[in-house]
Amino acid sequence: MKKLIKINEQLWIVFSQIVNYICCRSLNIAILSLFTPALLLGQMVVDTITNPGFVPSYMAVYETGNKLFVSDTESEHLLIYDCTTLNLIGELNLGYPGMMVVHESTGKLYLNINIDWGGKIAVIDAQKNELVRYIDGVNGTLRIDESLGKVYVLERIYSDINLQVIDIATDSVSTVQLSGRYIYSSIKVNPVTHEVFIGYRAVGDEKLDIVDGTTMTRTTVAAPNCRDLAGNWIENKVYLIPGPLNRYWVYDRDTGSTKDITSCYNDATEIFFNPADNKIYTDSEVDNSTIIIDGVTDSCAEIPMYGATTELAFRHASNHVYFVGLYGVIVMDGSTQLVEQFPNIWLDPDDDWNIVINQSTGRIFVSYYQSDPTGI
């Protein structure tokens, strides 16, 4: 069954039924807490909402409106929940929904529609829960620069690609020609310098494109093949997972210098920056660990985990790092690197997982598909 877990870093209300093994799929939300010392880090699932038949995938939080938006791939609707009451307060039938981003200042949500077969972007008024317009011919991996007021859309085509740039004030679209091909390309935004970094995994595309979001100009530097990348906007660096899993590559944007980190590495497929502690964190597939890199010194450490992880998210106020993967949800204290696993949450190896955090309220939502353990 499909679940959403809801975590609350302030509330402690134990909910008894955490896992519900039923033949049908369902949408669940559970709440966890940091207040009680029941576990070392005070974490526990404390509430759950179930909606039979729904299959949530991508999610986004509109913090100003205290709303959770969920792409339901079963009904092909966009579901809207109140983050406090957990009530379903809106539902939009827009086509097959996917990845989305929210612009807090204007209350506009940008949603991929029908991404795998000639899609478009739906622009949603997140305050009114209404469709504003469609932007045709634009679809792909989404990133947002909140203060600059732009949404970046990296095309998903297996040839030369463009970066489509949506001006949030007008929803007009501009295009920047990139130098590489899609094929598992990665994109991240530096919200301080307003630069966009695009790395490429394809052989022959050993380079990093850098797009200035203000001037809409592109520069290109030599770089390894890229499994994923992360931007450290405190130190103005880029960290990249190269194709051969034997190092991490660091590019100092201020000096133009590069270096390899070879003393620590795992089989990471994704890499993330945590601004709360100025550190880089990775996931892992079978190595069951996370690599943590100090943003100032680039020194590193490998921390054992309970199992493989694929999705990470950071709660800035508490400096807690949340990992989602095969063995459920794991939380790490970023200051002490103490790791703890949430009990009674077990995931299927074929699951799709997502996690989003409401930084204002400290509530964390995790979606995943959980199979019946009997195999029926």
Side-chain angles (χ1 to χ4, degrees):
M1 75 185 140
K2 198 73 168 176
K3 288 179 174 287
L4 280 178
I5 300 174
K6 182 180 174 187
I7 304 165
N8 185 340
E9 295 203 325
Q10 301 168 342
L11 182 64
W12 177 249
I13 305 171
V14 176
F15 185 81
S16 59
Q17 188 168 349
I18 300 171
V19 180
N20 181 21
Y21 292 119
I22 304 177
C23 62
C24 60
R25 289 167 292 185
S26 61
L27 173 67
N28 287 347
I29 298 177
I31 303 176
L32 289 86
S33 167
L34 290 181
F35 182 77
T36 177
L39 301 176
L40 292 175
L41 295 180
Q43 304 287 310
M44 182 64 70
V45 178
V46 296
D47 201 0
T48 301
I49 290 178
T50 301
N51 290 297
F54 291 116
V55 182
S57 58
Y58 291 101
M59 300 180 294
V61 171
Y62 173 42
E63 296 193 13
T64 305
N66 196 33
K67 297 177 182 179
L68 174 70
F69 291 80
V70 182
S71 290
D72 174 31
T73 59
E74 184 72 9
S75 68
E76 301 187 2
H77 290 182
L78 179 67
L79 309 179
I80 308 165
Y81 287 86
D82 184 294
C83 289
T84 300
T85 65
L86 310 183
N87 292 330
L88 181 66
I89 58 175
E91 186 169 352
L92 298 175
N93 182 5
L94 306 167
Y96 195 90
M99 178 183 290
M100 68 191 94
V101 292
V102 176
H103 189 244
E104 289 287 339
S105 300
T106 59
K108 295 173 75 172
L109 180 143
Y110 293 81
L111 171 70
N112 271 328
I113 300 293
N114 301 332
I115 189 169
D116 291 325
W117 51 89
K120 54 191 174 184
I121 298 290
V123 183
I124 309 298
D125 186 324
Q127 302 175 64
K128 299 179 180 179
N129 302 340
E130 296 176 353
L131 174 68
V132 177
R133 63 177 57 88
Y134 288 110
I135 303 177
D136 293 320
V138 178
N139 204 264
T141 303
L142 302 180
R143 297 290 184 263
I144 192 166
D145 188 327
E146 172 73 28
S147 61
L148 191 61
K150 292 186 177 180
V151 174
Y152 298 98
V153 188
L154 183 62
E155 291 180 334
R156 292 182 55 176
I157 54 177
Y158 293 89
S159 61
D160 295 339
I161 59 174
N162 296 317
L163 182 67
Q164 306 283 2
V165 185
I166 303 172
D167 181 88
I168 293 174
T170 63
D171 289 334
S172 59
V173 180
S174 303
T175 300
V176 178
Q177 177 66 52
L178 300 177
S179 69
R181 294 162 289 171
Y182 172 69
I183 310 181
Y184 307 112
S185 52
S186 300
I187 176 171
K188 296 291 171 63
V189 176
N190 184 326
V192 176
T193 65
H194 306 299
E195 290 185 322
V196 185
F197 300 94
I198 302 100
Y200 304 97
R201 191 169 179 179
V203 175
D205 282 339
E206 291 84 3
K207 51 197 170 186
L208 180 71
D209 276 343
I210 304 165
V211 175
D212 187 315
T214 302
T215 65
M216 300 289 288
T217 55
R218 189 203 82 207
T219 57
T220 302
V221 299
N225 291 122
C226 174
R227 292 170 65 91
D228 193 26
L229 59 86
N232 179 339
W233 53 84
I234 295 176
E235 306 298 331
N236 202 15
K237 296 178 181 178
V238 177
Y239 293 79
L240 185 147
I241 307 174
L245 295 173
N246 57 5
R247 60 187 171 126
Y248 293 97
W249 183 79
V250 186
Y251 171 49
D252 189 310
R253 186 70 179 122
D254 291 328
T255 65
S257 62
T258 66
K259 70 168 73 170
D260 289 328
I261 299 175
T262 59
S263 56
C264 304
Y265 58 88
N266 62 0
D267 62 342
T269 61
E270 295 187 71
I271 189 167
F272 307 82
F273 173 58
N274 182 8
D277 59 11
N278 194 15
K279 290 183 173 65
I280 299 292
Y281 293 76
T282 76
D283 71 348
S284 70
E285 291 188 296
V286 297
D287 285 350
N288 299 341
S289 66
T290 182
I291 302 297
I292 303 176
I293 304 172
D294 185 277
V296 177
T297 65
D298 294 326
S299 59
C300 62
E302 183 172 6
I303 307 300
M305 303 294 287
Y306 287 97
T309 59
T310 58
E311 297 294 333
L312 275 71
F314 306 100
R315 170 71 166 120
H316 301 149
S318 61
N319 194 18
H320 281 179
V321 185
Y322 292 86
F323 299 78
V324 182
L326 179 59
Y327 290 89
V329 182
I330 299 167
V331 62
M332 173 187 289
D333 186 308
S335 301
T336 64
Q337 296 175 358
L338 178 67
V339 176
E340 192 162 60
Q341 183 181 22
F342 288 107
N344 301 320
I345 301 174
W346 304 98
L347 307 186
D348 188 274
D350 296 324
D351 287 354
D352 290 323
W353 310 306
N354 261 287
I355 179 169
V356 294
I357 297 180
N358 187 330
Q359 300 291 342
S360 301
T361 64
R363 293 182 172 182
I364 298 98
F365 301 85
V366 180
S367 70
Y368 61 92
Y369 179 86
Q370 186 173 57
S371 301
D372 187 322
T374 64
I376 300 174

